[in-house]
Amino acid sequence: MLLQEYFKTLIPMTDEKANEIATFFQKERINKGDLLIREGKTSKKSYFLQNGITRCYIIDLNGEEVTTRFYAAPDFLNDYLSFFKQEPSEENYEALTDCTVWSITHEKVQHCFHNIPEFREWGRMLLTLNYVKMHKHMISFHKYTAQQRYEILLYKHPEIIKHVPLKIIASYLGITKFSLSRIRKNIGE
């Protein structure tokens, strides 16, 4: 199963251990447009995205949606601060396509952290990788042009370019959708 394979890509573990950890997860279908996590609400579940695309977004000072992160399957998503501190989230997590996810509750995560060393190591690696992704995205605004940021996204996640509306991609890149249209024209898309 994809969930167990995902565990094993982050840290070495046996099939048996990956299967044991997977028993704590429950399969769910999420419809396009549904919010998995809502701003102002506390995140009660963590999600493995088996298929589909989701995004995180905030509402800025002008009342506009600003996309802060994309998740494209296979990936793990959560508002880690809200989930682990059990505080209200500052972001919305929206399904941009119909998705299949495997969810795990806060209580089960705590159980696994305290009782399964491989889960604890896997969780540590997952947090580290998420930090690296966020850090690289933040640096990209100062190190690369908007066109370079778009080209990186196109190279690393063509499925996002294919399935996500340009307005949402533009907000993630920190530009207007008109600027994004110009960039796409410049690179011959």
Side-chain angles (χ1 to χ4, degrees):
M1 185 194 298
L2 193 56
L3 177 60
Q4 288 90 326
E5 292 305 314
Y6 188 79
F7 294 145
K8 295 188 301 184
T9 62
L10 296 188
I11 67 157
M13 72 173 70
T14 65
D15 289 343
E16 293 77 19
K17 193 55 69 173
N19 288 334
E20 176 188 349
I21 294 169
T23 65
F24 291 94
F25 287 77
Q26 181 174 337
K27 190 174 188 177
E28 297 182 40
R29 291 284 302 151
I30 308 294
N31 296 319
K32 178 180 179 177
D34 287 353
L35 292 179
L36 288 91
I37 303 168
R38 187 180 300 273
E39 180 181 5
K41 302 290 183 186
T42 300
S43 175
K44 301 293 185 191
K45 294 180 181 178
S46 197
Y47 302 92
F48 170 71
L49 185 62
Q50 180 174 308
N51 62 47
I53 300 170
T54 64
R55 71 165 174 152
C56 302
Y57 71 92
I58 60 167
I59 306 298
D60 71 8
L61 295 172
N62 298 319
E64 299 290 324
E65 291 181 2
V66 177
T67 299
T68 57
R69 174 100 187 253
F70 288 113
Y71 295 90
D75 206 351
F76 216 88
L77 67 110
N78 201 341
D79 182 326
Y80 294 97
L81 190 60
S82 174
F83 184 75
F84 285 110
K85 292 188 83 178
Q86 287 297 278
E87 296 178 348
S89 177
E90 295 185 46
E91 294 182 281
N92 295 292
Y93 287 65
E94 176 188 24
L96 296 176
T97 64
D98 289 340
C99 300
T100 303
V101 300
W102 291 87
S103 66
I104 184 170
T105 64
H106 181 264
E107 295 78 18
K108 288 180 181 177
V109 166
Q110 293 304 317
H111 170 81
C112 290
F113 270 138
H114 293 293
N115 295 291
I116 305 173
E118 293 87 349
F119 185 87
R120 188 169 41 251
E121 289 307 311
W122 173 79
R124 190 182 331 240
M125 181 60 70
L126 186 64
L127 287 170
T128 301
L129 292 174
N130 273 282
Y131 168 78
V132 168
K133 286 178 186 175
M134 289 185 341
H135 189 71
K136 284 185 175 188
H137 183 61
M138 179 187 70
I139 287 173
S140 75
F141 280 92
H142 304 285
K143 193 172 181 178
Y144 302 114
T145 65
Q147 180 168 326
Q148 289 170 319
R149 290 193 306 273
Y150 177 76
E151 289 171 340
I152 291 167
L153 183 63
L154 177 61
Y155 175 74
K156 289 186 174 184
H157 293 286
E159 71 279 12
I160 290 173
I161 304 302
K162 183 177 178 181
H163 296 288
V164 175
L166 291 181
K167 179 180 178 180
I168 292 173
I169 294 170
S171 78
Y172 175 73
L173 297 172
I175 58 177
T176 66
K177 99 175 160 178
F178 303 110
S179 295
L180 180 55
S181 292
R182 267 196 309 279
I183 288 169
R184 289 167 55 93
K185 184 178 177 186
N186 286 346
I187 64 173
E189 265 197 330

